[in-house]
Amino acid sequence: MNCTDFLSQLTDYFDGQISPELLAEVRTHLGECDHCKVVLNTTRQTIEVYRGNEIYEVSDELRERLHSAIMSKCSAARKQA
Ligand SMILES: [Zn+2]
């Protein structure tokens, strides 16, 4: 699993719709990738805020923003390595 795969599973992960196999892959990726860990925490906080307002939805726009954030961070990390 790479960062793009991780992101595509993110909403299912929060919805609890993810299969045990994919969940294991997500957890493995999170163990290896600090960027996705940060994104996961940020997304969780965002969702909790939305849930507090009874508007629980990860919009396409939010997903797009998260996607660009991850990809730019991950390519930056690769350049440093
Ligand atoms: Zn990642």
Side-chain angles (χ1 to χ4, degrees):
M1 174 168 289
N2 60 31
C3 296
T4 309
D5 296 332
F6 169 80
L7 197 83
S8 69
Q9 300 303 326
L10 196 57
T11 48
D12 285 347
Y13 176 87
F14 280 111
D15 287 341
Q17 301 292 319
I18 195 166
S19 69
E21 290 82 7
L22 274 171
L23 185 60
E25 287 190 43
V26 164
R27 288 192 170 143
T28 303
H29 184 75
L30 286 171
E32 297 166 345
C33 183
D34 285 343
H35 302 306
C36 287
K37 222 183 297 182
V38 170
V39 168
L40 182 73
N41 289 335
T42 307
T43 308
R44 180 181 289 134
Q45 283 164 11
T46 306
I47 287 174
E48 279 169 5
V49 169
Y50 278 123
R51 273 183 178 154
N53 293 319
E54 295 184 7
I55 310 165
Y56 167 49
E57 187 180 334
V58 179
S59 66
D60 287 346
E61 190 206 339
L62 176 61
R63 206 187 310 205
E64 277 303 307
R65 270 192 287 155
L66 289 169
H67 186 228
S68 356
I70 296 177
M71 295 321 285
S72 62
K73 280 179 183 171
C74 286
S75 55
R78 270 201 298 273
K79 273 174 208 156
Q80 283 161 19

